Amino acid sequence: MSTAWTSRYAQRTKVLKSSAIRELLKMSQKPDMISFAGGLPAPDVFPAARFREACQRVLDDNAKHALQYGASEGYEPLREMVARHIQRYGIKAKTENVLITSGSQQALDLIGKLLINSGDRVLVEAPTYLGALQAFNVYGAEYVSVLSDDDGLRTDLLEKPLRSGPKFMYVLPNFQNPGGTTLSEERRHELVLLADRYGVPIVEDDPYGQLRYEGEHLTPLVVLDRENLRRDDGYSLGNVIYLSTFSKTLAPGLRLGWIVAPAEVISKLVQLKQGADLHTSTFAQFVAYEVAKDGFLDEHVKLIRKVYRERRDVMLAALKEFFPEDVKWTHPKGGLFLWVTLPQGMNCQKLFEDAVREKVAFVPGDCFYAGNGFTEEGFRHFRLNFSYGTPEQIREGVRRLAVAVRHQLHELSPVHA
Ligand SMILES: Cc1ncc(COP(=O)(O)O)c(C=O)c1O
């Protein structure tokens, strides 16, 4: 029904759908439900005591600044801390290359605002992060999707899509959301070379890079781009914009992320950010700085890795124990998610209904595809989160899920299951 308001909604609202994940999260909050749906960090590892002390210190020593308006670029010591912190991964950014955002999600929105004209194509992985699609859709983005496999984006499939002239590529090289997969070293090199050859810039989204549970850290695209292709020893000529966040290492409720980009790009983003929220919460930035400083963040990340590694292992073991053989899943080396592939003919949406009856929830795979003929592919997958539940809940949840999977397999082919 059209009312005085609805008839006045702008054209861009036509593409908005209520997020499937939000709706699922509502359902998964029911009592007795074990939810593998959200991308939530474990609340039991939030460093609450350190936050309490940090808030007290900020208010005792610095209330007149921490409660005041601040610079749109972000709190200078926090920007410096980020610039120093990412040096260890080889990213040679100066403070002027860092913009503090209200979570990485705002970074994605600002990038959409900066780069996307209605009808522009964005090259994305299939599957990709749903929140990025939501951010870019509002600006009228269209998509070129390129399949990924266990080694990340299929660079062997990239040339043709790159030739079609996308505005930029959006890539998640580490422990991808939703796939849990990591872009291999070889493909990273290929990707930056191809991006350079076809003049297509890259947005590298890396919220999970620090949460590695096995193997060696792989070089970020932003570093390969600079080292392989530019003579510059700083960040002025980069073809890659790099994003990360404190959401998965400190607390998502802080709403603190950052963008690393060439200084002139940061200046433009600052203008866009002013129109959005003037600046990210000053108080949150002061507190995050106090919490993270003196090596605390590094120590805390070690604890998170230990807890999440154990949970991942419990989930992998339970999948092996309870799931039928013809269901496959990824083996993530870090991050928060793994990705399940169902046998041909099975449909994750139907499975979801059964799973909810068994009191377990996940996110159906079709949410993570940008369309372009991948809908059928999407129905064969679903995403499981392993950071939020306790080991006991994870094992029990996978057991319940296996009941639903066997039921669906039986529906499909009664002799099969
Ligand atoms: C790939 C990816 N990018 C960005 C975000 C947004 O994170 P933030 O909490 O920093 O807004 C998420 C959150 O789950 C994510 O998985």
Side-chain angles (χ1 to χ4, degrees):
M1 192 181 57
S2 164
T3 67
W5 288 114
T6 54
S7 62
R8 285 169 168 77
Y9 289 164
Q11 201 63 33
R12 71 179 73 87
T13 65
K14 302 261 187 303
V15 296
L16 299 180
K17 286 183 277 184
S18 118
S19 151
I21 293 197
R22 293 265 157 269
E23 296 305 313
L24 293 177
L25 279 175
K26 271 189 225 155
M27 179 152 13
S28 60
Q29 276 153 11
K30 285 188 182 159
D32 304 343
M33 180 73 79
I34 294 179
S35 177
F36 299 132
L40 306 186
D44 24 334
V45 294
F46 290 153
R50 176 88 177 176
F51 267 95
R52 193 175 307 116
E53 286 162 24
C55 287
Q56 193 63 53
R57 228 172 11 249
V58 165
L59 291 173
D60 287 348
D61 302 346
N62 238 329
K64 70 175 190 228
H65 297 298
L67 300 178
Q68 189 54 279
Y69 285 115
S72 302
E73 289 84 348
Y75 176 44
E76 187 86 1
L78 189 66
R79 295 170 75 204
E80 281 165 12
M81 181 188 268
V82 167
R84 244 190 345 267
H85 168 82
I86 57 182
Q87 294 262 355
R88 73 178 68 167
Y89 302 118
I91 306 174
K92 287 189 188 154
K94 300 197 181 103
T95 310
E96 66 187 37
N97 301 119
V98 178
L99 170 64
I100 303 293
T101 55
S102 303
S104 279
Q105 192 60 38
Q106 184 185 47
L108 293 167
D109 179 56
L110 293 178
I111 283 166
K113 230 182 214 173
L114 179 76
L115 298 177
I116 302 171
N117 290 318
S118 186
D120 279 349
R121 265 160 307 163
V122 181
L123 193 153
V124 294
E125 294 164 81
T128 190
Y129 172 52
L130 170 65
L133 299 176
Q134 283 183 300
F136 301 156
N137 283 346
V138 174
Y139 299 105
E142 296 191 359
Y143 298 96
V144 191
S145 299
V146 177
L147 275 174
S148 33
D149 62 17
D150 285 353
D151 285 329
L153 183 69
R154 295 261 313 264
T155 43
D156 59 317
L157 303 177
L158 260 181
E159 291 223 44
K160 195 166 161 227
L162 283 175
R163 253 185 257 129
S164 75
K167 201 71 176 279
F168 64 94
M169 284 192 243
Y170 170 70
V171 188
L172 300 126
N174 291 319
F175 326 125
Q176 206 243 23
N177 179 2
T181 50
T182 295
L183 189 64
S184 70
E185 185 84 41
E186 199 186 333
R187 288 192 188 174
R188 287 175 193 237
H189 284 275
E190 276 167 16
L191 184 61
V192 292
L193 280 172
L194 284 167
D196 185 62
R197 186 175 310 149
Y198 290 96
V200 177
I202 300 172
V203 174
E204 176 176 22
D205 192 4
D206 188 24
Y208 306 107
Q210 285 189 75
L211 303 184
R212 178 176 272 280
Y213 316 134
E214 61 184 74
E216 291 301 311
H217 185 80
L218 298 180
T219 316
L221 302 177
V222 63
V223 174
L224 292 178
D225 171 68
R226 205 199 60 247
E227 282 179 354
N228 293 358
L229 305 172
R230 330 262 155 217
R231 266 178 226 112
D232 163 48
D233 65 354
Y235 202 91
S236 56
L237 297 172
N239 197 31
V240 182
I241 292 178
Y242 177 87
L243 319 179
S244 194
T245 177
F246 286 113
S247 284
K248 316 296 172 176
T249 53
L250 276 184
L254 276 173
R255 307 310 302 131
L256 283 181
W258 64 85
I259 302 179
V260 183
E264 72 271 12
V265 178
I266 295 288
S267 306
K268 210 25 119 189
L269 286 166
V270 165
Q271 291 170 353
L272 294 170
K273 184 167 165 66
Q274 282 165 350
D277 63 357
L278 297 181
H279 60 78
T280 292
S281 156
T282 327
F283 186 64
Q285 293 185 73
F286 272 66
V287 169
Y289 177 77
E290 277 300 314
V291 169
K293 73 180 194 188
D294 300 333
F296 178 84
L297 182 58
D298 288 341
E299 284 309 308
H300 186 60
V301 166
K302 283 186 200 155
L303 168 73
I304 297 179
R305 283 198 203 112
K306 183 169 165 293
V307 172
Y308 290 3
R309 184 194 298 120
E310 185 197 347
R311 292 178 184 200
R312 177 205 61 175
D313 290 345
V314 169
M315 183 169 272
L316 288 171
L319 286 166
K320 198 159 170 222
E321 181 178 341
F322 296 118
F323 267 37
E325 252 185 19
D326 34 8
V327 179
K328 307 282 175 227
W329 51 88
T330 54
H331 181 112
K333 295 196 168 87
L336 267 53
F337 306 107
L338 61 77
W339 185 240
V340 180
T341 303
L342 296 165
Q344 202 80 40
M346 250 177 102
N347 180 311
C348 63
Q349 289 285 354
K350 284 200 187 127
L351 177 66
F352 184 75
E353 289 164 27
D354 265 353
V356 168
R357 264 194 294 280
E358 296 296 328
K359 295 195 165 37
V360 60
F362 56 79
V363 184
D366 51 307
C367 307
F368 301 99
Y369 291 80
N372 335 97
F374 284 100
T375 315
E376 283 305 313
E377 176 66 22
F379 286 140
R380 287 193 58 206
H381 303 276
F382 59 89
R383 188 190 77 178
L384 295 178
N385 164 272
F386 55 78
S387 57
Y388 183 69
T390 60
E392 297 70 34
Q393 287 168 331
I394 292 174
R395 198 178 133 77
E396 171 59 14
V398 172
R399 190 196 62 74
R400 292 181 192 177
L401 198 48
V403 174
V405 168
R406 286 185 194 282
H407 181 246
Q408 278 297 314
L409 271 177
H410 187 74
E411 298 264 291
L412 200 65
S413 138
V415 281
H416 189 97

